[in-house]
Amino acid sequence: MASTIQVRVDDDLKTKSDSLFKDLGTDTTTAIRMFLTQAVAVNGFPFDIKRHTAETNPYAPMTGEEMLAKLKESREQGKYRDADEVISDMRSEYGL
């Protein structure tokens, strides 16, 4: 016998996850089943659950000074690329 689980998520999340899982060769239902199977196999969440602080969260907002310091560091390490070059590469790679 199989059980049904219903989960409400906003439309944007559903659309994005459907697209992601399709690109990965599966569907959202199978991905959820995989998550549950792994959770049971590892006896917990199948990924780390952490509370992020500004120091560990890469998406935390930066001050203008922090941003300029990071940009300077990138240029000094040779990790800098011109924005026009990056956009051109993206257009050719993704057909934009």
Side-chain angles (χ1 to χ4, degrees):
M1 186 164 126
S3 297
T4 300
I5 298 174
Q6 292 183 336
V7 179
R8 291 197 184 279
V9 297
D10 71 48
D11 292 337
D12 187 50
L13 177 60
K14 174 78 165 76
T15 300
K16 288 178 180 176
S17 64
D18 285 345
S19 177
L20 169 67
F21 296 132
K22 182 178 179 183
D23 287 348
L24 293 171
T26 191
D27 57 37
T28 302
T29 300
T30 303
I32 293 169
R33 192 176 298 117
M34 291 167 67
F35 167 81
L36 295 173
T37 301
Q38 281 299 109
V40 170
V42 301
N43 200 30
F45 283 100
F47 48 78
D48 290 336
I49 305 291
K50 297 179 182 175
R51 174 187 265 172
H52 291 287
T53 63
E55 293 81 33
T56 61
N57 182 356
Y59 305 108
M62 286 186 262
T63 66
E65 292 169 351
E66 290 170 326
M67 176 66 79
L68 291 174
K70 287 196 178 282
L71 288 170
K72 181 180 178 188
E73 180 182 337
S74 293
R75 287 187 186 106
E76 290 170 352
Q77 295 177 359
K79 296 179 182 178
Y80 169 79
R81 289 183 61 203
D82 184 72
D84 290 333
E85 182 183 329
V86 173
I87 291 168
S88 176
D89 288 351
M90 289 175 62
R91 284 188 174 142
S92 64
E93 185 170 340
Y94 299 106
L96 302 172

